[in-house]
């Protein structure tokens, strides 16, 4: 696998596929499958052996989600890291660091990207374009598209270049001084913190059940919150994670949770 370099046409294919970041969007992996598909041209070049290519595809067939404009930046870094790993002859490069860096980046980038592209540029574009469009002026539609497309397109293009070129220089430096191992561990921890922080925001288990004991009424939800806030969402998330690790079909899990939620609601547990 040594001395394999990504060329301009390989990187261009990866970049243009980044526009399909919302294609084949799934519940469990979100943008993970489109991200993996975008990486295919680079992975096929770096790993000509079938087994190595399959391993690389599996490595990127994981959950990923961030603002679409920042997807090329993450793709550029992933290409740089995959290229570094493919040419590593020392065996010191940890391939797990590739996904760790992706996961660590997706949360902060999503926060920044959603604020700018959804909360700022889109509102400015609507404020300028909507009055003109309401008057029947086609310029309103054109200005709306320009104010939306220009910032995101520039971010995509230069973000991809920065991710790849900067990633290569950065990786060479930190691998030489031993910082890569520390960065990998820190990225894993940050990734777990990001995912853990998402649990109480996304997973909801509101209990409505009350208990009559000793002449008093106890709300089960309050008791659980006193033990540990968001305890039930955490336990449910860990249970679902265990099922996924065992290879349980994700659609079966989703429908099972839906049926369970309906039944618990009918019996006034939730």
């Amino acid at each position: 696998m040594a001395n394999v370099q990504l060329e301009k046409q390989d990187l261009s294919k990866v970049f243009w596929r980044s526009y399909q970041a919302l294609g084949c969007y799934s519940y469990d992996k979100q943008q993970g499958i489109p991200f993996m598909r975008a990486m295919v041209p680079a992975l096929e070049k770096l790993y000509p052996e079938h087994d190595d290519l399959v391993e690389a595809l599996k490595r990127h067939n994981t959950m990923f989600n961030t603002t679409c404009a920042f997807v090329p930046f993450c793709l550029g870094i992933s290409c740089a890291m995959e290229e570094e790993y493919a040419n590593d002859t020392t065996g010191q490069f940890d391939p797990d660091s590739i996904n760790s860096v992706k996961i660590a980046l997706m949360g902060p980038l999503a926060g920044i990207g959603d604020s700018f592209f959804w909360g700022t540029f889109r509102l400015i574009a609507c404020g300028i374009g909507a009055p003109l469009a309401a008057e029947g002026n086609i310029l309103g539609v054109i200005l709306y598209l320009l104010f939306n497309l220009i910032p995101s397109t520039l971010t995509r293009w230069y973000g991809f270049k920065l991710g790849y070129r900067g990633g290569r220089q950065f990786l060479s430096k930190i691998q030489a001084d031993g910082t890569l191992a520390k960065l990998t561990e820190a990225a894993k921890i940050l990734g777990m913190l990001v995912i853990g922080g998402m649990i109480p925001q996304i997973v909801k288990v509101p209990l409505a059940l009350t208990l009559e004991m000793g002449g008093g009424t106890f709300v089960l939800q309050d008791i659980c919150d006193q033990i540990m806030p968001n305890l039930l969402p955490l336990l449910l998330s860990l249970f679902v994670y265990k099922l996924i690790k065992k290879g349980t079909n994700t659609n079966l899990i989703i429908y099972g949770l839906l049926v369970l939620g309906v039944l618990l609601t009918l019996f006034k547990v939730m």
Side-chain angles (χ1 to χ4, degrees):
M1 292 193 299
N3 300 321
V4 182
Q5 302 296 323
L6 293 175
E7 299 178 0
K8 185 177 180 179
Q9 58 266 30
D10 303 316
L11 297 172
S12 294
K13 291 177 182 178
V14 174
F15 171 76
W16 289 114
R17 288 188 178 203
S18 70
Y19 279 93
Q20 301 172 352
L22 295 179
C24 199
Y25 195 91
S26 63
Y27 294 109
D28 55 337
K29 295 184 174 68
Q30 299 188 10
Q31 295 175 349
I33 295 176
F35 192 99
M36 177 188 66
R37 183 183 180 276
M39 288 290 298
V40 168
L43 298 179
E44 287 180 338
K45 177 67 175 293
L46 295 172
Y47 305 106
E49 296 294 331
H50 176 75
D51 291 343
D52 295 332
L53 177 60
V54 170
E55 178 187 345
L57 290 172
K58 289 181 178 179
R59 186 159 54 244
H60 287 282
N61 189 24
T62 57
M63 185 271 179
F64 179 82
N65 191 49
T66 193
T67 304
C68 291
F70 282 124
V71 170
F73 177 72
C74 297
L75 283 169
I77 291 180
S78 294
C79 285
M81 297 186 75
E82 289 287 358
E83 188 175 29
E84 192 74 22
Y85 176 54
N87 291 290
D88 178 44
T89 57
T90 64
Q92 296 180 355
F93 193 101
D94 182 8
D96 291 338
S97 63
I98 301 173
N99 266 335
S100 298
V101 171
K102 276 171 49 181
I103 294 173
L105 286 173
M106 69 178 185
L109 289 179
I112 296 171
D114 289 350
S115 299
F116 275 95
F117 295 103
W118 292 107
T120 302
F121 294 128
R122 185 179 62 162
L123 294 180
I124 293 174
C126 288
I128 296 174
L132 294 173
E135 296 175 359
N137 193 333
I138 190 63
L139 186 61
V141 178
I142 295 173
L143 289 176
Y144 173 79
L145 292 174
L146 289 177
F147 273 96
N148 261 332
L149 293 176
I150 290 177
S152 63
T153 301
L154 291 175
T155 301
R156 286 173 179 273
W157 180 254
Y158 288 103
F160 183 76
K161 288 186 175 182
L162 177 64
Y164 178 68
R165 294 176 181 175
R168 289 191 64 188
Q169 298 171 0
F170 179 65
L171 287 170
S172 298
K173 181 179 179 180
I174 63 176
Q175 189 176 22
D177 61 14
T179 309
L180 181 61
K182 297 178 182 178
L183 178 65
T184 301
E185 187 64 24
K188 289 179 180 179
I189 295 173
L190 180 58
M192 293 298 294
L193 287 173
V194 170
I195 295 174
M198 292 169 61
I199 291 176
Q201 302 298 323
I202 298 177
V203 183
K204 304 295 182 183
V205 188
L207 294 178
L209 189 64
T210 58
L211 302 175
E212 301 290 339
M213 298 177 62
T217 302
F218 297 90
V219 181
L220 189 58
Q221 181 68 61
D222 293 340
I223 297 175
C224 292
D225 289 339
Q226 290 175 7
I227 297 173
M228 177 178 160
N230 297 306
L231 174 62
L232 294 179
L234 175 62
L235 293 177
L236 179 60
S237 300
L238 292 175
F239 175 70
V240 172
Y241 175 74
K242 186 175 181 180
L243 291 178
I244 293 175
K245 292 291 287 184
K246 285 185 175 181
T248 305
N249 187 287
T250 53
N251 287 328
L252 183 61
I253 296 175
I254 292 171
Y255 290 125
L257 290 175
L258 178 61
V259 172
L260 180 62
V262 170
L263 292 176
L264 292 178
T265 302
L266 287 175
F267 287 102
K268 297 182 179 181
V269 177
M270 294 178 61

